[in-house]
Amino acid sequence: MTLATATNEHLANISNTLVYSAMAVYTLAFFAYIAEWLFGSRSKVARTAAALTSTTEQAGKAKPAAPAVTVKSAGGTSVLERPQVVTRSAIGARDVPDGPGAHGGDEQGDLYGRIAVSLTVLAWAVEAAGVVARALSVQRAPWGNMYEFNITFSTVAVGVFLTLLVLKKNVRWLGLPLVTTVLLDLGLAVTVLYTASDQLVPALHSYWLYIHVSTAIICGAVFYVGAVGTLLYLFKDSYENKLASGGQPGRFATSVMERLPASASLDKFSYRVNAAVFPLWTFTIIAGAIWAGDAWGRYWGWDPKETWAFITWVAYACYLHARATAGWKGRKAAYIALIAFGCWLFNYYGVNIFVGGKHSYAGV
């Protein structure tokens, strides 16, 4: 065994240790997010439901009551001030305020939420170091097989979440589903999909590997964030519809849904996320075609991976078109968005595991 081989194996072992360490820290973050939601459930989240449940009868229809007006007297002059209600609703939608967040306005819940975010940052840094160590062990970009793709994908997904937090976006509600998914993703990576460090086949020795695969990973991570927002939008929209029709949701549903942003906010968030990354997905497909021309002498051959990448592109294009069409906004468009993300997932897992083709390397 040469010194270089021994060094590479040592780096591979370090990478594996760092990935397992990241999983341990993500697990602690998972429990901290759970604590945030649990302590938040004890707070008075019902105060945010006032805009929905307080109604007056007008013209035979139930309509939200106007916010109360407080009166302040200063030097004999009365000043009328209406309380500020922060909404994100679109035109024609219900004016529902965003919830206080997973902590539900509870100080202890908020503390656990901050601890959870801190642990997520630590886990992300450890996992990123594991990805770098894997790259050094194989002396190439760590995207040569499904194991490497998985650990990189989860790192980028968490990075997107943390970036949104740094930009002061209201996305801490995303922490629990994100960390849960990351733990499942890494668990699958280190068990079913694990592949020892090895060199790439000749067709992959190209600078297009860094361009095409990196953009595919970024797109997948952002599409995932948009899919979570879309799924939560459907639940929150059903909850708001039930309240608006005079229904009484269960205690658990009320506790969870009242802390999330309004359905209009979630809908807008998902749309903006998917719309922002769609041009990059278009570039990913174009870059892949150019790379295929260099590697195999043809730009497009309807290989299963190419086919499903195109199907995914069409599905997201249909979603964006539906959003721009008055009759297909809201839930109908959300269903298309979830179908589109399902196409991306099948392209990610299904094609590589169950379907053969030129894009299948190293078994998985």
Side-chain angles (χ1 to χ4, degrees), residues 59 179 271 322:
V179 169
Y271 169 67

Side-chain angles (χ1 to χ4, degrees), residues 127-160:
E127 185 183 10
V131 173
V132 172
R134 177 76 176 197
L136 294 175
S137 71
V138 292
Q139 299 179 1
R140 57 169 171 77
W143 312 318
N145 50 61
M146 285 292 291
Y147 168 74
E148 295 173 355
F149 198 98
N150 263 41
I151 62 175
T152 306
F153 169 76
S154 58
T155 303
V156 175
V158 175
V160 171

Side-chain angles (χ1 to χ4, degrees), residues 100-120:
H103 54 81
D106 181 83
E107 290 185 8
Q108 194 167 7
D110 183 63
L111 175 62
Y112 279 108
R114 293 178 183 277
I115 292 173
V117 172
S118 299
L119 289 171
T120 303

Side-chain angles (χ1 to χ4, degrees), residues 67-297:
V69 178
T70 59
V71 180
K72 290 185 178 181
S73 297
T77 303
S78 296
V79 180
L80 300 180
E81 293 183 355
R82 292 186 181 274
Q84 292 184 349
V85 179
V86 180
T87 64
R88 306 288 190 274
S89 58
I91 297 176
R94 293 178 295 267
D95 289 331
V96 179
D98 287 346
H103 54 81
D106 181 83
E107 290 185 8
Q108 194 167 7
D110 183 63
L111 175 62
Y112 279 108
R114 293 178 183 277
I115 292 173
V117 172
S118 299
L119 289 171
T120 303
V121 172
L122 176 59
W124 173 82
V126 174
E127 185 183 10
V131 173
V132 172
R134 177 76 176 197
L136 294 175
S137 71
V138 292
Q139 299 179 1
R140 57 169 171 77
W143 312 318
N145 50 61
M146 285 292 291
Y147 168 74
E148 295 173 355
F149 198 98
N150 263 41
I151 62 175
T152 306
F153 169 76
S154 58
T155 303
V156 175
V158 175
V160 171
F161 168 64
L162 296 177
T163 300
L164 291 173
L165 287 178
V166 170
L167 295 175
K168 300 188 182 303
K169 302 298 182 181
N170 178 24
V171 295
R172 208 163 85 183
W173 47 267
L174 185 61
L176 181 58
L178 174 65
V179 169
T180 303
T181 306
V182 167
L183 283 171
L184 292 174
D185 179 75
L186 291 178
L188 183 66
V190 300
T191 54
V192 178
L193 300 177
Y194 182 77
T195 304
S197 300
D198 200 358
Q199 294 303 311
L200 298 174
V201 296
L204 294 182
H205 285 287
S206 171
Y207 61 89
W208 283 105
L209 172 69
Y210 296 90
I211 300 173
H212 172 65
V213 183
S214 64
T215 55
I217 293 173
I218 294 172
C219 289
V222 178
F223 281 147
Y224 165 77
V225 171
V228 173
T230 301
L231 188 62
L232 291 178
Y233 155 73
L234 291 173
F235 283 113
K236 188 63 182 284
D237 185 63
S238 296
Y239 172 80
E240 291 176 2
N241 285 334
K242 190 170 185 178
L243 282 179
S245 62
Q248 294 294 330
R251 184 175 179 181
F252 175 78
T254 300
S255 175
V256 173
M257 293 299 152
E258 283 300 329
R259 283 178 275 170
L260 292 175
S263 62
S265 298
L266 291 169
D267 185 38
K268 184 181 294 184
F269 169 78
S270 302
Y271 169 67
R272 287 178 173 178
V273 165
N274 288 324
V277 79
F278 181 74
L280 186 61
W281 182 247
T282 304
F283 171 78
T284 301
I285 296 177
I286 294 173
I290 296 174
W291 187 11
D294 291 342
W296 302 317

